[in-house]
Structures are given as structure tokens and as C-alpha cells.
Amino acid sequence: MLFIILFLPLVVAAPQEPTRESYILDIKNGTLRNVLFHGTPLEELDLSGLGIRHLEKNALDNVSTLKWLSLANNSLESLPEFMFSNLSNLEYLSLAENNLKNLEYLFVRLENLRVLNISCNPVLHLRRGHLFGLTKSTTILIEGNNLWSISTGTFTNSFLKDDEELKNLEKMKTELTMIQTTESAETEIELASERNALNGNMPTTKNEILKGQKLKLCMPNNIVLSIEPLENNSVANGCLEIPVNKEKRSVSLQGLGIKGFHEKWYQLQYLPIISLDLSNNEITEITKELLNDLPEDLIYVNLRGNRIRCIWSQVIENRHLKILNLSNNFLEKIEDGALAKTNLTSLTFFENQLESLSFVSSLPNTLQVLILAKNRFSSIPDRTFVNLPNLIYLNLVNNQIERLQNDVFKGLDSLQILIITKNRLVEIERDAFNGLKQLTTLNFYQNSLRELQKGTFSGLENLKDLNLSSNKLQKITADMFSDLPQNLGYLHIDFNEINSLEKGSFVNVPRFTLSLTGNKISTIPSGTFDLPTLRDLYLNNNTLTMIDGDSYEGLPQLKHLLLIENQINEISKGSCKNLASLSILNISRNPIQKLQNGALYGLSLARGNSIYIYENQLKEIQGALFEDI
């Protein structure tokens, strides 16, 4: 059996008789098994740089008198629980420069420890109870770690769960459930009419689509002559075999180079097909032959990615068609009345070359979803939407609109979602949104708005989500948002040029989330917030240099405060005096080097609460970080 027995200060390869002043290390295969000594009890022991990979649980039982111990610069990946519990006289302990990831249950009974050095270890999280046993007088050195988070309960006894903590856990679960069941997102509304139309069309007089059903498509010279059920698995020359999607009741003729259609080309009247995909072909015109003879159960036609430049009036006549997708064509003109003889519920013109919205006033009043994104509209004429009382979703993303005049959306009595992101808006007149009483979501992301008139949002009594991010707003005054409806839940004002807030800037609304990320806010006056139900406050990427406790009064239900990437270099006692409701405080990417005693006093020590500190310059934290000291 191979033993490595070390004399300190001498290192030798063979065992020697210990003297009264020396001690022997029993190390085998990188595992420290015991420390033996004679004479005066040891008070200092330097075990650094010995290549130790493991410690047996009782390896230090014979040196309980130690006051100074270094295990730095070894290869330790873990340590036995309660490893140091018998070293009750220990004042200095270094575990620096190892590979330790977990520190749980290591420091129990170290009441006299003054310095704990855990620098340069791959410790990512100081979880609840990891530093239990350390006292208010302990300084913890953490330089060179990639520390991401510190639990507010890192110094508490993780063996215990008191009644208060159990109540908090149950409350957190309830709040999470409420958040997860909040109203559906924009995409859900966008697809609502499409899904309803598809699900509502269940023909009962058609033949059943058989498993493995095949069709025969004949298209000489890329002009579709016919598509019909394939019989006897026989395909004539010049024809193609096409599968049917039985579950979706759909047929795909995508990317086949189709240029046109003969009269009565569609011969699938006795199959319950509801969706036809003609995308990515060479179609240049919508003719009577294309749409007018389709059966009543076929309600969705996809013409995305073709070469259509104009839709002529007096051509399309199909009262059964519900959904028409004309995205990614070359549309430059839609004649007035071109779609008047349809009962469409969803119409998409995404990424075309349209410049005029004049055709919109003659669209069918059955429309619920209208997507006009990525065209060339520079203005919205008066009365454009006056004949669309059933429209729920309107998307005008990525156009060149500069101004919204009074009553511009007149007629949209049912509108719930309005998206005008990535335009050139510089002005919104006070009464632009008159009549939009059902509107729940309003998105102006990435425009050029510098100011908002008082009363702009006063008639939007059902508005729940307002996004003004990536504009050019420079200040938030006390009356800018005073007219917002009381049920507004979410307000996003990220990436503007805001450099000042006023007392009373945010009163009662938003109810749940306020985001001010990416501005130039350096101070927050006391009384800025009076938001009794706010849960989330985002102040990332501003120029704050401190956490002023008075700035956050008026936020009794705040759960998440994010201060990532500011210029905070110190957190003094009292900073968190109004943040007792927080479950997450994120101060990552700030030049903080030290968290001193009392710095985070005021935060709740309830289970699950954490401080996030990744990518900081943090070198030291103190044992009474969360205490009133």
C-alpha cells in the first residue's frame, strides 16, 4: 500500500518519526485521510498546493485547535458535509483556487471565523443555507468566481421551514399560476379567426378522406388542367401524384411552378378539403378560374410567394372563402371592390409593394384579421376603416406612416389589437384613437415619437398592454400617463431617451409590469411610483449609480426589480428599506466590488428569494449583509 507522508515544513517521500514540533499528513492517492501531531496543539495549518483532491470526513478531527487553515490551490471538487464543524476555534479558512461548486453544510459551528476565502472557484450560486454557521463578523472573499446569484437565505438554517416560509411558497405558486393564465398573446388573436373558421367547417355530406389518399394533378405547360382523386394508382404522362393531409384536411401544391388554371380545374368537390396551399409558384394573376369555382368547404387559400402584381375588381366572387394569404407577392395595386364579393375573415398582404390604402374601405365587413405589414404606406386617409366593424386585429408593421390624425381609426368598433411598429411616427393627435373602446393591445415599438399629448389614451377603457419602446421620448411628466385606463397591466417605454422622471409619473397604472430599460435615467425622485399592484420593474441599462431606498416607496407588491447594467458601485444600508416584497433583485453587470453588512437589509429572507449578481466585479461580501447592523 502506497502512502505519502509529509513533514511540514519539510516534504519527504518516506515516513519519519514525528517530533514534538512536527506533524504528519496521511495522504493516499490524493485523499487526505488524517493529520497526526505531537506536542503543542496546532493553531496554523497550511495545506495549500499539495494536489489534494478529496478529504475524508474525519481527516481534521485531530486538529480541533486550529485557528488558521488553508486548503487553497488544490484540486478539491467537493467536501464532506460538516467537514469543518469540529474546528470551532477557526478564525481564517481558505478554500481558494479549487474546483468547488457546492458549499452546503460546510460552515456549521464556525462561530469564530473572521475570514472565509472561496475565491477562484466555479461557484455559480450561493443557495439557501450555503453559508449557514457564519456570523455577522465574517468576511467572505469571492474574487474570481463566476457567481450568478445569492439567496437571501444563504446565511439561514436550510434545515428549517417555518410557517411563514410555507405560506410564502404557497403564495408564490398562486401568483405564478395567475401570471401563466393571463390573457393570450397577440399571436393568439391573430390566428383566432383562422382557427375558428377551420374548426367550424366540418362537412357532413362529403366522402371521407382515406388514409394514404392520393390525388392526380395534371398541368401541361404549368397551367393546371385538373386535380382529382387518383384511381387505380395510375398517373398519366404529364401528371403528378399529390398526397392529402388527412389530419389537416389540406392539399399542398407548393413550389410546383404553377402559372395558371383552366376552367373547372378543381375536381375534389366530394372530398372534405378545407385548405389549399398554392404558395411559392409562378402565379401572376388571380383569375376567375382560380378561386370562383372552389367548393363551399374550401375556406383557406394560401398564395404566398407568387408574382401577383394587381387584384382586379369584378373578378373574384367566392362567398365561402374565409382566409386568403397574399404575402410576399409583388402587389402594387388592389382595385376598389376587388374583394367585395367575398366573406373573408382573415386577409394577409405582408411584404408587398402597396402604397395606397384606398382599397381598404371596400373590403368585406366580415373581416376580423387584416395584416398590411411591410408595405409602403406613408399615411392613413380618413375613413379608411369605416366599413370594418368586425375587425379584431390590425397589423401595420414596417411601413412609412408618419402621423395619426384625429379619428383615423373610426369604424373599428371591435378592434382589440393594433400594431404600428417600425414606422416613422412623429405625431399622434389627441383624438386619434376615438372609438377604440375594445382595444386591449397598442404597440408603437420603433417609431420616432418625441412627446405624447395629454389625453391621447383617455378613451381606451379596455387597454391592457401599451408598448412605446424604441422611440425618442425624453422625459416622463406627471400627467403624461394620467389618462391611462385603470386596468392597464403592462407599460413598456424601453430604449427611449428618457433622462428624467417626476414625482407622480406613475400612479395606479400599470398594474403588473413597468419597463424602462435602455434609457438615461440617473436618479428616481421619491414619489415617482405609486403603483400598489406592480409586480415587475425593469430599469436595466440606465445610468443609476445607487439604489436609493426612497425611490421605491409606493411599490408594496413589487416582486422583481431589475437594475442590470447600470453604474451602481455601492449599496449602502437603507437601500432596500422599501423592497420587502421582492423575490428577485438583479444587480448584475454593475461595478460593485463589496456588499457590506446591512447593505441588503430590508429584503425578505423567505425561501426562493435571490440576488442576481452575474458579470460583476464583486470581491467581498460580509456575514450580516441582510441584517440591521
Side-chain angles (χ1 to χ4, degrees):
M1 182 177 295
L2 179 63
F3 285 79
I4 299 175
I5 302 180
L6 302 179
F7 263 44
L8 293 182
L10 298 177
V11 180
V12 296
Q16 298 183 11
E17 286 295 319
T19 65
R20 295 177 63 87
E21 293 81 26
S22 63
Y23 51 90
I24 299 175
L25 303 180
D26 181 356
I27 299 177
K28 179 186 176 183
N29 297 329
T31 299
L32 178 63
R33 305 195 303 177
N34 203 355
V35 179
L36 304 173
F37 75 94
H38 290 284
T40 305
L42 295 175
E43 291 191 353
E44 295 186 6
L45 182 58
D46 187 354
L47 302 178
S48 61
L50 299 179
I52 299 171
R53 296 195 301 273
H54 306 285
L55 269 69
E56 289 192 357
K57 185 171 184 178
N58 300 317
L60 302 176
D61 281 2
N62 294 323
V63 288
S64 60
T65 55
L66 284 178
K67 293 184 178 181
W68 192 98
L69 172 62
S70 176
L71 284 159
N73 193 23
N74 281 289
S75 301
L76 296 167
E77 294 184 358
S78 63
L79 290 168
E81 294 180 356
F82 308 105
M83 181 72 226
F84 307 108
S85 295
N86 67 314
L87 306 181
S88 56
N89 296 313
L90 202 62
E91 297 177 1
Y92 176 90
L93 172 60
S94 178
L95 299 172
E97 297 183 84
N98 279 282
N99 294 310
L100 296 169
K101 297 179 180 178
N102 186 1
L103 305 175
E104 193 167 15
Y105 306 140
L106 292 181
F107 311 117
V108 177
R109 296 187 61 194
L110 298 186
E111 291 89 353
N112 291 304
L113 195 68
R114 296 295 177 265
V115 176
L116 170 63
N117 191 344
I118 54 174
S119 299
C120 300
N121 278 280
V123 178
L124 292 178
H125 306 284
L126 291 177
R127 302 191 189 280
R128 186 174 184 81
H130 277 198
L131 300 181
F132 173 62
L134 303 182
T135 69
K136 301 176 183 179
S137 303
T138 307
T139 295
I140 303 100
L141 305 179
I142 58 174
E143 186 174 4
N145 287 327
N146 293 317
L147 199 58
W148 270 68
S149 70
I150 303 174
S151 167
T152 58
T154 193
F155 295 101
T156 62
N157 188 346
S158 61
F159 292 106
L160 301 178
K161 275 189 183 180
D162 57 31
D163 291 341
E164 187 63 30
E165 288 183 0
L166 292 172
K167 288 178 183 178
N168 284 333
L169 281 173
E170 192 60 35
K171 185 178 180 182
M172 288 168 61
K173 290 178 183 177
T174 302
E175 289 176 349
L176 181 60
T177 301
M178 290 175 63
I179 294 171
Q180 291 173 339
T181 56
T182 307
E183 295 147 24
S184 53
E186 295 167 7
T187 51
E188 181 65 22
I189 297 292
E190 180 179 345
L191 297 174
S193 68
E194 178 177 328
R195 185 169 57 251
N196 291 339
L198 292 174
N199 292 338
N201 197 75
M202 300 290 291
T204 58
T205 60
K206 302 291 182 178
N207 295 334
E208 181 183 359
I209 298 174
L210 301 176
K211 184 177 181 180
Q213 176 90 52
K214 299 292 177 54
L215 308 176
K216 181 176 67 173
L217 173 68
C218 297
M219 43 178 287
N221 300 318
N222 296 98
I223 307 298
V224 176
L225 178 63
S226 65
I227 184 169
E228 57 188 326
L230 179 63
E231 297 179 357
N232 302 320
N233 292 321
S234 176
V235 180
N237 290 337
C239 297
L240 300 173
E241 182 179 297
I242 303 295
V244 178
N245 189 316
K246 176 178 171 64
E247 288 72 28
K248 295 183 178 180
R249 293 184 289 158
S250 64
V251 173
S252 176
L253 303 180
Q254 178 182 4
L256 297 179
I258 297 171
K259 294 181 178 180
F261 301 84
H262 283 277
E263 189 176 358
K264 300 188 182 301
W265 66 277
Y266 191 88
Q267 298 296 318
L268 304 176
Q269 287 83 356
Y270 297 103
L271 289 178
I273 303 298
I274 63 173
S275 175
L276 176 62
D277 188 353
L278 291 165
S279 62
N280 299 322
N281 281 289
E282 304 294 327
I283 301 167
T284 58
E285 184 178 5
I286 298 178
T287 61
K288 293 181 179 180
E289 293 80 10
L290 173 53
L291 295 179
N292 292 6
D293 290 332
L294 297 179
E296 63 181 22
D297 47 297
L298 204 162
I299 60 170
Y300 179 21
V301 174
N302 185 0
L303 287 164
R304 177 187 178 96
N306 279 278
R307 299 177 177 276
I308 301 166
R309 292 187 176 276
C310 181
I311 303 178
W312 308 104
S313 62
Q314 307 302 317
V315 173
I316 300 173
E317 186 172 351
N318 185 328
R319 296 290 183 180
H320 310 297
L321 192 63
K322 302 296 182 186
I323 304 162
L324 182 59
N325 187 346
L326 286 156
S327 299
N328 302 92
N329 277 272
F330 298 99
L331 281 169
E332 297 174 342
K333 182 177 182 180
I334 301 172
E335 289 193 347
D336 291 352
L339 296 165
K341 294 182 179 180
T342 70
N343 290 323
L344 289 169
T345 59
S346 179
L347 182 57
T348 302
F349 292 116
F350 175 82
E351 198 164 0
N352 279 279
Q353 300 172 18
L354 295 167
E355 296 183 1
S356 172
L357 284 163
S358 61
F359 68 93
V360 173
S361 61
S362 64
L363 293 176
N365 61 14
T366 52
L367 267 186
Q368 297 177 17
V369 172
L370 179 57
I371 300 175
L372 299 164
K374 211 166 184 182
N375 280 277
R376 299 176 180 178
F377 307 122
S378 59
S379 64
I380 305 176
D382 291 340
R383 301 182 63 79
T384 292
F385 304 107
V386 74
N387 293 320
L388 297 177
N390 296 302
L391 199 68
I392 295 173
Y393 179 93
L394 176 59
N395 187 326
L396 287 159
V397 172
N398 214 336
N399 281 283
Q400 302 167 22
I401 301 167
E402 298 181 358
R403 177 174 171 269
L404 297 179
Q405 69 273 21
N406 289 337
D407 297 311
V408 65
F409 300 108
K410 185 175 182 179
L412 297 178
D413 300 336
S414 302
L415 194 66
Q416 295 180 26
I417 292 183
L418 175 57
I419 314 295
I420 316 184
T421 63
K422 297 183 180 180
N423 277 268
R424 300 177 182 177
L425 281 173
V426 294
E427 181 184 7
I428 301 175
E429 292 192 357
R430 185 185 183 280
D431 296 323
F433 305 119
N434 271 357
L436 301 185
K437 296 185 180 298
Q438 302 304 315
L439 197 69
T440 61
T441 300
L442 182 55
N443 194 335
F444 290 115
Y445 168 78
Q446 202 167 325
N447 278 280
S448 299
L449 294 169
R450 292 188 178 276
E451 61 180 1
L452 295 169
Q453 296 185 44
K454 182 178 180 181
T456 298
F457 308 109
S458 59
L460 304 178
E461 55 194 47
N462 282 302
L463 191 64
K464 293 180 173 60
D465 191 339
L466 175 59
N467 193 333
L468 293 162
S469 297
S470 296
N471 278 274
K472 297 183 178 181
L473 300 173
Q474 295 184 348
K475 62 180 180 178
I476 305 296
T477 60
D479 60 357
M480 179 177 288
F481 297 115
S482 61
D483 60 325
L484 285 173
Q486 294 300 298
N487 58 355
L488 185 85
Y490 308 91
L491 178 57
H492 308 270
I493 325 176
D494 307 301
F495 297 101
N496 278 266
E497 300 172 3
I498 300 168
N499 52 37
S500 67
L501 302 173
E502 292 183 2
K503 181 178 180 180
S505 290
F506 302 100
V507 177
N508 294 325
V509 292
R511 295 176 59 200
F512 306 127
T513 298
L514 173 60
S515 190
L516 290 159
T517 289
N519 284 284
K520 301 176 182 179
I521 301 168
S522 58
T523 59
I524 302 174
S526 175
T528 294
F529 307 112
D530 183 6
L531 300 171
T533 62
L534 194 77
R535 295 189 305 236
D536 309 310
L537 178 57
Y538 296 84
L539 286 160
N540 305 323
N541 195 17
N542 278 279
T543 58
L544 295 167
T545 58
M546 61 184 294
I547 300 177
D548 185 345
D550 292 328
S551 297
Y552 303 101
E553 63 180 343
L555 300 169
Q557 298 299 320
L558 192 67
K559 299 300 178 188
H560 306 130
L561 175 58
L562 282 79
L563 298 168
I564 304 169
E565 205 165 350
N566 276 272
Q567 298 172 16
I568 301 169
N569 52 32
E570 182 181 1
I571 301 178
S572 57
K573 182 181 176 182
S575 295
C576 301
K577 65 182 181 181
N578 286 306
L579 298 175
S581 61
L582 277 190
S583 57
I584 290 177
L585 172 62
N586 196 329
I587 51 174
S588 302
R589 296 177 186 164
N590 280 281
I592 302 169
Q593 296 192 15
K594 180 179 180 179
L595 290 175
Q596 59 191 358
N597 285 340
L600 299 178
Y601 172 67
L603 297 180
S604 169
L605 304 186
R607 190 176 298 271
N609 295 354
S610 292
I611 318 301
Y612 286 89
I613 55 171
Y614 56 84
E615 295 182 32
N616 268 313
Q617 303 169 22
L618 199 58
K619 298 179 180 180
E620 176 184 330
I621 62 176
Q622 296 186 331
L625 173 64
F626 299 104
E627 299 187 39
D628 185 13
I629 188 172

